[in-house]
Amino acid sequence: EMEGGDQMKILLFVLGAVCCTAFSPSAPMASIKQRENLVRAWASPGDGGEGAVVAISYCAGCRWMLRSSWMAQELLTTFDDGSIAEIRLRPQFDKAGTFKITVDDECIWDRKFDSGFPQPKELKQRIRDKVDASRDLGHSDVSS
């Protein structure tokens, strides 16, 4: 089974190969199908099963991309065992004030209904309750 660093090296190799093939004037242009197959082969889920898909929808006009990416980084750091398969950042251009987080298409946080933005601790607890209720979050489980 590959470690996270090995997966990153493969991704960088694949992306480098695709870019070199696609943009090198001396090399023939790789077809879109070839590029899709390379990326699909790297991104295929491993034998460890699939984790949850987290989506963070945010208002692009409100400039909440940085907040969204910070939340994504917090979640990927905490759930680094594969319990989260991917995090999708979804800018919303037509829904002002949006900040909504879903786990496998089930809403766990909505800024308009939950009175603002989540603190990382509360967000991690809500996601943990959906993906692995028995999981210990360490300092994020300690009451304030």
Side-chain angles (χ1 to χ4, degrees), residues 57-79:
S57 301
Y58 63 92
C59 175
C62 299
R63 305 286 190 226
W64 289 339
M65 182 177 65
L66 184 58
R67 179 185 302 265
S68 301
S69 59
W70 171 62
M71 292 287 181
Q73 176 267 320
E74 285 288 323
L75 295 174
L76 288 171
T77 301
T78 298
F79 298 95

Side-chain angles (χ1 to χ4, degrees), residues 1-10 42 80:
E1 188 166 311
M2 281 193 276
E3 297 292 321
D6 293 335
Q7 289 178 341
M8 183 59 71
K9 289 176 189 172
I10 291 172
W42 179 83
D80 61 354

